[in-house]
Amino acid sequence: METPTWPRVPSPEAAVPRMLLLSWVLLQVARMSGTTEVVVAYNLTWKSTNFKTILEWEPKPINHVYTVQISPRLGNWKSKCFYTTDTECDLTDEIGNDVNQTYQARVLSYPADATDYSGEPPFTNSPEFTPYVETKLGRPKIQSFKQIGTKLNVTIQDTGTLVRRNGTFLSLRNVFGKNLIYTLYYWKASSTGKKTAKTNTNEFLIDVDEGESYCFSVQAAIPSRKANQKSPESPIDCTSHEKGVLLVIVIVVLVVLILTIILSVTLYKCRKVRARQSGKESSPLNAA
């Protein structure tokens, strides 16, 4: 009787090299055909304050890199942040020449070794962004203030930007003009009741009670906007009455300290002189 012949099963030791070889061949074919998978960017978000504008996205790259492109509406694409492993790109220079224009950006994904990549890179488009109506207003700064009698004068520092016109950088006031409004919140230091004043310039001159100390803060706003109308409020400042009291206290402490030092030195010298004199009186006379 003839013994049946069963199919021959390859040993595990022989199967592993074959699998590795097959994987390597498939990888090379994918590279040659330009179909190597890369991770596509998502969650593209514009972050902009006082026209300082950054595009952010996800995810953090592992085996790939990104390049960002930006274009005004119906314009040409311009590349920025080439082959970066970051997940943000500063586009301030590109929007600074025309902040009234509407822009779109896109993030292209490349394999880590982008120089060997010959295919069309996948990309993700950002939402449209119009800097003039969407950039947030930063917290304003108080440049100076003074209270004389019944008048309080407060001057707001004109915030600079990277927006350019004819090669010159503009301030927020230059860009927005009379559309930029400042609101002054002020109150007596001894009270919590707030009053407000508004101006479309950078200076306030308001009536106050003579002899009272006042505290205040400032907020910027563009009322014509539908969103991002207001900035955060500035830090609170107070007029010189409270600061004057503090200054008097500091001066008094310094005077007392100086007098104490002078008195201590004087007493030390007097004791030293007395010690010398008492030493001479107690010493015996020399024999004739």
Side-chain angles (χ1 to χ4, degrees):
M1 182 177 181
E2 186 177 350
T3 303
T5 302
W6 300 100
R8 187 174 181 180
V9 178
S11 65
E13 292 80 3
V16 171
R18 291 179 181 175
M19 290 294 294
L20 292 175
L21 178 60
L22 179 60
S23 299
W24 181 84
V25 170
L26 291 175
L27 180 61
Q28 298 306 312
V29 170
R31 286 180 175 176
M32 292 175 63
S33 61
T35 60
T36 304
E37 290 188 5
V38 293
V39 176
V40 179
Y42 62 89
N43 196 22
L44 276 64
T45 307
W46 295 95
K47 302 288 186 181
S48 182
T49 300
N50 291 344
F51 298 105
K52 175 72 173 179
T53 302
I54 295 173
L55 182 71
E56 297 180 351
W57 64 90
E58 297 181 83
K60 193 71 177 175
I62 299 176
N63 294 318
H64 62 285
V65 291
Y66 298 111
T67 292
V68 176
Q69 292 183 333
I70 183 171
S71 171
R73 184 179 288 170
L74 303 178
N76 296 321
W77 292 100
K78 183 175 180 180
S79 296
K80 301 284 290 185
C81 303
F82 297 90
Y83 306 130
T84 180
T85 56
D86 294 331
T87 54
E88 64 177 35
C89 183
D90 191 337
L91 298 174
T92 306
D93 287 346
E94 300 307 317
I95 62 98
N97 287 320
D98 187 356
V99 295
N100 293 285
Q101 179 67 259
T102 297
Y103 296 88
Q104 189 175 44
R106 60 188 184 188
V107 178
L108 290 70
S109 299
Y110 291 90
D113 187 3
T115 56
D116 291 340
Y117 191 81
S118 59
E120 186 71 22
F123 60 87
T124 305
N125 287 323
S126 73
E128 290 188 337
F129 175 70
T130 307
Y132 188 88
V133 297
E134 295 184 65
T135 192
K136 293 181 179 180
L137 298 175
R139 176 176 292 174
K141 295 181 180 179
I142 296 173
Q143 179 176 315
S144 63
F145 60 89
K146 183 182 295 184
Q147 182 180 348
I148 301 177
T150 60
K151 295 294 182 180
L152 173 62
N153 178 264
V154 180
T155 302
I156 313 305
Q157 181 176 319
D158 206 358
T159 305
T161 74
L162 294 177
V163 178
R164 299 179 299 276
R165 183 181 298 160
N166 299 325
T168 302
F169 291 110
L170 305 182
S171 67
L172 281 184
R173 176 63 65 194
N174 295 144
V175 176
F176 291 111
K178 299 297 184 180
N179 290 327
L180 178 63
I181 303 295
Y182 286 112
T183 301
L184 180 72
Y185 303 98
Y186 64 103
W187 60 96
K188 292 180 181 179
S190 57
S191 172
T192 57
K194 288 187 178 182
K195 295 182 178 181
T196 62
K198 294 186 178 183
T199 181
N200 57 8
T201 69
N202 286 47
E203 190 169 350
F204 292 92
L205 184 62
I206 59 174
D207 294 320
V208 295
D209 294 337
E210 189 171 4
E212 290 283 352
S213 178
Y214 281 82
C215 295
F216 49 88
S217 64
V218 175
Q219 185 177 46
I222 302 178
S224 60
R225 284 182 169 185
K226 294 181 179 179
N228 296 328
Q229 283 189 344
K230 297 180 179 180
S231 74
E233 290 184 29
S234 70
I236 295 173
D237 271 306
C238 295
T239 53
S240 58
H241 291 83
E242 292 180 351
K243 293 183 178 180
V245 172
L246 179 61
L247 181 61
V248 170
I249 294 174
V250 171
I251 291 174
V252 170
V253 171
L254 287 175
V255 169
V256 171
L257 183 61
I258 292 171
L259 290 176
T260 302
I261 294 172
I262 293 173
L263 182 60
S264 298
V265 172
T266 302
L267 290 175
Y268 172 76
K269 289 183 177 180
C270 289
R271 288 173 184 172
K272 200 170 182 181
V273 170
R274 288 175 183 175
R276 289 177 181 175
Q277 289 177 351
S278 61
K280 289 180 180 180
E281 293 174 356
S282 59
S283 61
L285 294 174
N286 293 331

